[in-house]
Amino acid sequence: MDSPSPSSEAPVDSTSPANPPTEMDIDSPSPSPEAPEDSISPANPPTEMDIDSPSPSPEAPEEIPGAPSGKTLISSATTLLKQTLLPPEIKTICGKTDNPKLCESSISPLLTAAIKPDASSVLVLSIQASINATKAVMPTVNKVAAADCQELYDDAVSNLEDAINAVKESDIATVNTNLSAAMTDYGTCNDGFEETGEPNPLADVADKLHKMVSNCLAISTLIK
């Protein structure tokens, strides 16, 4: 019986124990590339913009102390324009008074297109201007003057109102009586300060009102 031939030797593994293969860990993730270093250094942090904060509003123009306000300038310009546009008949009537410029400036704010430029109409306007001026100073009178001056200025208003009613009734004698009484009211208040020797805070006010009513008396003489 033939003996089996020796089997061929298995090929020797080329991987020697001295150089074991490197085992690859397929489960571990590959290292991610390093992120680029932020170019903004802590020494120069970015400026944060506050989008909620409103932008600064422009500063209002600084007012000049003692300078007239815009309203005052507009009012003065309007009054001056009305004086310039006064009908010549009214300028002629005011020219017959002792204070023609005061006559024009006092009645021009009250003038309308419906008013006739005759002596009676101008007289009513002039008296009404005196009433308005007297009422306008009443807070000052009540603050700085004695009680008798307050009553006198109230009486002056009543006398002037009666004078207007008399003009409408063509009662010139009563007109003149009431106008003269109003002038006396202003003067009596001034006399009270002179008697006591106290300074009169209403001297300038009374002087202007006296001139306004004096103009009314002059205009009343033009009514035929």
Side-chain angles (χ1 to χ4, degrees):
M1 185 174 205
D2 295 333
S3 59
S5 59
S7 60
S8 59
E9 293 182 1
V12 179
D13 190 354
S14 60
T15 305
S16 64
N19 297 303
T22 303
E23 183 176 355
M24 181 178 293
D25 188 357
I26 61 175
D27 294 331
S28 61
S30 58
S32 58
E34 293 185 2
E37 186 177 355
D38 194 352
S39 60
I40 302 175
S41 63
N44 297 301
T47 303
E48 184 177 353
M49 181 179 294
D50 188 357
I51 61 175
D52 294 331
S53 60
S55 57
S57 57
E59 295 184 359
E62 185 178 355
E63 293 186 1
I64 302 175
S69 65
K71 284 186 177 181
T72 301
L73 291 174
I74 293 174
S75 177
S76 300
T78 302
T79 301
L80 181 60
L81 179 61
K82 285 187 174 182
Q83 285 181 244
T84 305
L85 299 178
L86 281 175
E89 296 89 348
I90 293 181
K91 287 181 173 289
T92 299
I93 293 171
C94 283
K96 302 292 184 180
T97 67
D98 292 334
N99 305 279
K101 292 299 182 182
L102 179 60
C103 173
E104 294 178 8
S105 64
S106 61
I107 68 175
S108 58
L110 306 176
L111 192 63
T112 64
I115 295 176
K116 295 180 180 180
D118 56 21
S120 294
S121 298
V122 174
L123 177 57
V124 170
L125 290 179
S126 187
I127 297 174
Q128 185 61 56
S130 301
I131 293 173
N132 295 347
T134 304
K135 288 182 177 180
V137 301
M138 287 301 293
T140 303
V141 174
N142 295 336
K143 182 178 180 180
V144 302
D148 55 347
C149 275
Q150 298 172 16
E151 294 178 2
L152 288 166
Y153 273 67
D154 284 334
D155 287 343
V157 171
S158 297
N159 284 319
L160 293 171
E161 290 174 343
D162 290 341
I164 286 183
N165 293 330
V167 173
K168 295 177 181 178
E169 296 174 0
S170 300
D171 186 354
I172 301 304
T174 301
V175 171
N176 292 336
T177 298
N178 283 287
L179 292 176
S180 298
M183 294 177 68
T184 300
D185 290 329
Y186 303 135
T188 303
C189 175
N190 286 346
D191 292 342
F193 286 101
E194 292 180 4
E195 291 173 0
T196 60
E198 298 178 1
N200 184 0
L202 302 175
D204 293 339
V205 169
D207 180 64
K208 180 179 179 179
L209 293 172
H210 192 278
K211 289 178 179 178
M212 291 178 70
V213 179
S214 174
N215 284 347
C216 296
L217 281 170
I219 296 171
S220 70
T221 63
L222 303 177
I223 299 176
K224 305 300 182 182

